[in-house]
Amino acid sequence: MERPPSALEALQDAWADALAKWAIPEEYIERIDQNPFELLPESFVPDLARRDTPSMRAAISALSELEPGTRSLLDVGCASGGTSLILFPPAEHLIAVDQSPQMLDRLRENAAALGIANSSIEIINSAWPTATAATAPVVTCANVLYNVSAPIPFIEALIGASTYAVVIELTARHPHFSANPIWKYFYGYRRPIEPNYQTVIEMIKLLGYDPAVETWHRNGLDLNDEAGLTRLARRSCIPQSQLGELRNYLKEHPIEPTEVVSITFRT
């Protein structure tokens, strides 16, 4: 007799099913001849102003509670260091984990530009969980979970790698959710609305933790930000020849600020 799924497994199955619906039909991808979900290293330049967000404040607080000489940070899905590098100080050492060699190369460059010693950074080019042993008092993971179809072992590995605190950041809904009206306007195509962060909260609670949760908002798109407009066009499968049309649409229908969620718990 087949065993019924546990509450955790049911949540994970629902999450995976919802994520699968975000796949973009090939007919739209062909319009731009690019991967709409591709992440570029230049999109994650460290911005020190971001230290004042709830996620970064939580990480800074946790690191500051540690004794000097023990303030090590593990950043899972670190990209080019947009999150972790701005945590120096109080961070003294960084274990940076990412699947992209290009992202990790750029992280090294960004660290040097910030005056962070090369000896303070350990690079692990790997998916998560990684076969390479990686532990630190504070573990951060920002804007990665919507790329993970099986979040339970992923989150369990975050917890297992931390000896003090875990800080997770993610948008309240899928990172491409804000582009849904663009898809409807240009293509009459309805994009999904699920999953959302509440499923992640439920999973963490079922794993036995009581997370502190704070929601906040990241500014919407500035139409003077050409790089941001180009990224939005790629996400929405709008070809370069229609950038002007997209800009005009956004003047009348601006992208609303993105709701972001910071989740923190002690391990």
Side-chain angles (χ1 to χ4, degrees):
M1 183 175 179
E2 188 173 336
R3 174 180 65 85
S6 68
L8 261 175
E9 291 169 332
L11 285 173
Q12 179 162 266
D13 289 345
W15 178 272
D17 289 344
L19 273 187
K21 293 175 182 176
W22 279 93
I24 296 174
E26 189 64 32
E27 64 184 279
Y28 296 109
I29 296 175
E30 289 173 352
R31 294 171 185 259
I32 59 170
D33 195 28
Q34 288 178 287
N35 177 2
F37 292 101
E38 182 181 9
L39 299 175
L40 303 176
E42 54 267 28
S43 301
F44 299 94
V45 175
D47 178 3
L48 293 177
R50 194 163 177 260
R51 280 174 64 98
D52 195 34
T53 63
S55 306
M56 298 301 96
R57 289 199 300 266
I60 289 168
S61 176
L63 287 163
S64 298
E65 291 164 9
L66 302 170
E67 291 295 324
T70 68
R71 293 172 177 170
S72 184
L73 171 71
L74 167 62
D75 187 16
V76 174
C78 61
S80 56
T83 297
S84 48
L85 294 179
I86 65 175
L87 295 174
F88 282 80
E92 301 165 331
H93 177 259
L94 167 65
I95 304 171
V97 180
D98 202 279
Q99 296 184 74
S100 167
Q102 293 78 18
M103 289 286 190
L104 293 169
D105 287 345
R106 183 62 65 89
L107 183 145
R108 288 280 196 197
E109 295 173 9
N110 290 340
L114 290 171
I116 299 171
N118 189 57
S119 59
S120 298
I121 298 174
E122 177 184 346
I123 295 291
I124 300 177
N125 182 195
S126 171
W128 184 261
T130 174
T132 304
T135 61
V138 179
V139 174
T140 57
C141 180
N143 302 303
V144 176
L145 276 169
Y146 286 105
N147 296 323
V148 179
S149 60
I152 294 171
F154 188 97
I155 295 170
E156 287 180 319
L158 294 178
I159 294 167
S162 165
T163 61
Y164 189 61
V166 173
V167 180
I168 296 172
E169 178 180 299
L170 71 165
T171 50
R173 294 189 180 275
H174 192 281
H176 291 199
F177 178 77
S178 61
N180 281 15
I182 297 173
W183 280 92
K184 184 178 179 183
Y185 176 81
F186 280 86
Y187 298 129
Y189 184 61
R190 291 187 177 274
R191 301 290 282 143
I193 61 172
E194 298 296 340
N196 67 65
Y197 78 97
Q198 291 172 337
T199 302
V200 174
I201 300 295
E202 291 180 57
M203 289 178 184
I204 292 170
K205 288 182 176 179
L206 286 172
L207 287 170
Y209 296 88
D210 184 21
V213 180
E214 187 170 354
T215 60
W216 49 286
H217 288 85
R218 187 178 293 144
N219 291 338
L221 176 69
D222 179 354
L223 288 179
N224 293 317
D225 178 5
E226 291 297 328
L229 184 66
T230 299
R231 284 195 299 272
L232 178 61
R234 187 178 71 248
R235 287 181 177 184
S236 310
C237 289
I238 304 294
Q240 291 292 302
S241 60
Q242 289 185 271
L243 273 183
E245 188 177 350
L246 176 60
R247 188 191 302 276
N248 290 334
Y249 168 81
L250 292 171
K251 287 178 181 176
E252 299 296 326
H253 307 87
I255 297 290
E256 295 182 358
T258 300
E259 185 177 12
V260 184
V261 183
S262 301
I263 305 167
T264 307
F265 54 96
R266 295 288 188 260
T267 55

